[in-house]
Amino acid sequence: MSYIVPLVLLVLAVFVAVNVIKIVPQGREFTVERFGRYTRTLKPGISILTPFVESIGRRVNMMEQVLDVPQQEVITKDNVSVKVDAIVFIQVMDAAAAAYRVDNLMYAITQLSQTNLRTVVGSMELDEVLSQRDQINSRLLNTIDHATSPWGVKVTRIEIKDLTPPPDITNAMARQMKAEREKRAVITEAEGEKQSAIARAEGQKQAAILESEGRKEAAFRDAEARERSAGAEAKATELVSDAIAAGDVNAINYFVAQKYVEAFGKLAESPQAKTIIVPAEMSALVGTLAGVGHLVKGAQSGQAAPRPAPPAAPPRRPPGTTVPKSEA
């Protein structure tokens, strides 16, 4: 019996130590109650309570937590039923308020999120719901964060996880998207054809301008050549006129010989003619042309042109004699 008393004292000491000495892990906070009334909050670390007077009330998780909002059907503003679910990120900032101001904190936040999700989505049309998720998230965050602030909870963010329209709406949206893409493809193709036509027209314009410039340059040079030819002809006429005034008979024969040669040259232009009929006076014409050429050269050099000696007359052919085209 002597060892019973120490054993009882040892058990009592262990019991007191377990109930008095408390170790709070990191990321948690414990509330302390004295006779059932909240008195203080224990921070992470070791703490000592008053034996038989104080006790641990609630163990509160102070880390950020994720709540899954169940999927629900919501009627949009344009009377389309969509299935919506979300996730909510929360963090307890005040352990006492979270423990004693609301019963079942997680369930309360979940229900609050569901009701506000129905309100926000129901106030928008389907196209806005599908295209403005960021706006929905922002409105939900402001509303729920303001509602949970008295509970000592901070709602950090809310995200729409899934939006599911009815199958017929999904098919209609798919057809609309296909039609829109085909429309953009046709517009792009038409724009390409337009640019191509503009480029071709611009090229034709530049080609026409260059061709016109070429014709202009050719006409200018042709006019200049004709002007020079006319000047040379005028100069030759002047020299012949001076020679005539000086009494040179060969100058008179110049014009007659020139027309005679031109007419005779036309006879030789025919590709079908293999022989040419040479007039009897042709040999005398050649001698006259030689004398006139000598006269012109002398006049151009500024010296008196000596009277040319009559050239040796070639053997005369009887009138109507036929000669080969090469000898002519």
Side-chain angles (χ1 to χ4, degrees):
M1 296 295 294
S2 59
Y3 63 87
I4 295 178
V5 175
L7 184 59
V8 171
L9 293 176
L10 179 61
V11 172
L12 182 60
V14 171
F15 176 77
V16 171
V18 170
N19 287 275
V20 172
I21 302 174
K22 296 296 181 181
I23 299 177
V24 181
Q26 184 66 37
R28 306 278 178 171
E29 289 186 4
F30 295 169
T31 61
V32 178
E33 297 177 355
R34 178 175 295 176
F35 300 115
R37 181 181 179 182
Y38 167 77
T39 57
R40 57 194 174 99
T41 302
L42 300 181
K43 303 296 181 180
I46 186 170
S47 302
I48 299 177
L49 304 179
T50 303
F52 306 107
V53 176
E54 294 180 334
S55 62
I56 299 298
R58 303 287 181 88
R59 292 172 168 80
V60 182
N61 185 355
M62 305 299 293
M63 295 181 289
E64 189 171 2
Q65 304 174 65
V66 181
L67 296 180
D68 189 10
V69 179
Q71 189 178 69
Q72 58 181 332
E73 289 191 1
V74 180
I75 305 298
T76 61
K77 187 177 181 180
D78 50 353
N79 297 324
V80 178
S81 177
V82 294
K83 295 181 179 180
V84 186
D85 58 358
I87 52 176
V88 183
F89 297 83
I90 64 171
Q91 185 174 11
V92 177
M93 308 301 295
D94 187 350
Y100 297 109
R101 290 190 177 182
V102 60
D103 187 21
N104 197 344
L105 176 65
M106 300 304 174
Y107 178 76
I109 295 177
T110 301
Q111 295 300 313
L112 183 63
S113 300
Q114 282 186 307
T115 55
N116 282 275
L117 185 60
R118 279 196 299 270
T119 301
V120 173
V121 174
S123 64
M124 304 172 67
E125 295 183 356
L126 179 61
D127 292 340
E128 296 176 344
V129 172
L130 296 176
S131 62
Q132 299 180 8
R133 289 196 179 192
D134 292 339
Q135 183 178 352
I136 297 175
N137 296 336
S138 178
R139 292 177 59 181
L140 288 174
L141 178 62
N142 294 332
T143 302
I144 298 176
D145 183 55
H146 179 73
T148 58
S149 181
W151 301 343
V153 176
K154 173 67 176 177
V155 179
T156 56
R157 57 186 179 275
I158 298 178
E159 298 290 340
I160 299 296
K161 189 165 62 175
D162 191 18
L163 276 170
T164 307
D168 54 343
I169 299 297
T170 304
N171 295 334
M173 292 171 58
R175 292 195 301 271
Q176 180 182 4
M177 181 183 64
K178 181 179 178 181
E180 184 66 24
R181 291 186 181 277
E182 291 177 352
K183 173 184 174 182
R184 278 186 279 178
V186 171
I187 293 175
T188 303
E189 183 178 358
E191 187 68 22
E193 292 178 355
K194 174 184 175 182
Q195 295 297 330
S196 177
I198 292 175
R200 287 196 299 269
E202 188 67 23
Q204 293 174 358
K205 174 184 175 183
Q206 293 297 329
I209 292 175
L210 293 177
E211 184 179 357
S212 176
E213 290 290 338
R215 290 197 303 268
K216 177 182 177 182
E217 183 68 19
F220 176 77
R221 293 185 180 274
D222 186 40
E224 186 178 5
R226 289 196 303 269
E227 181 181 358
R228 291 183 179 181
S229 177
E233 185 70 20
K235 184 65 176 178
T237 303
E238 182 182 358
L239 292 175
V240 173
S241 298
D242 293 341
I244 293 172
D248 193 344
V249 181
N250 289 328
I252 300 175
N253 296 330
Y254 170 74
F255 291 102
V256 177
Q258 183 182 13
K259 299 299 181 181
Y260 194 92
V261 171
E262 290 178 359
F264 185 73
K266 292 182 179 180
L267 295 176
E269 289 179 356
S270 175
Q272 304 296 331
K274 297 183 180 180
T275 59
I276 301 175
I277 307 299
V278 180
E281 294 79 7
M282 187 64 187
S283 59
L285 177 63
V286 174
T288 302
L289 290 178
V292 172
H294 186 70
L295 175 63
V296 173
K297 290 180 181 178
Q300 288 180 348
S301 61
Q303 299 176 357
R307 184 178 299 277
R316 298 177 59 86
R317 297 179 184 271
T321 303
T322 302
V323 295
K325 185 176 181 180
S326 59
E327 292 184 7

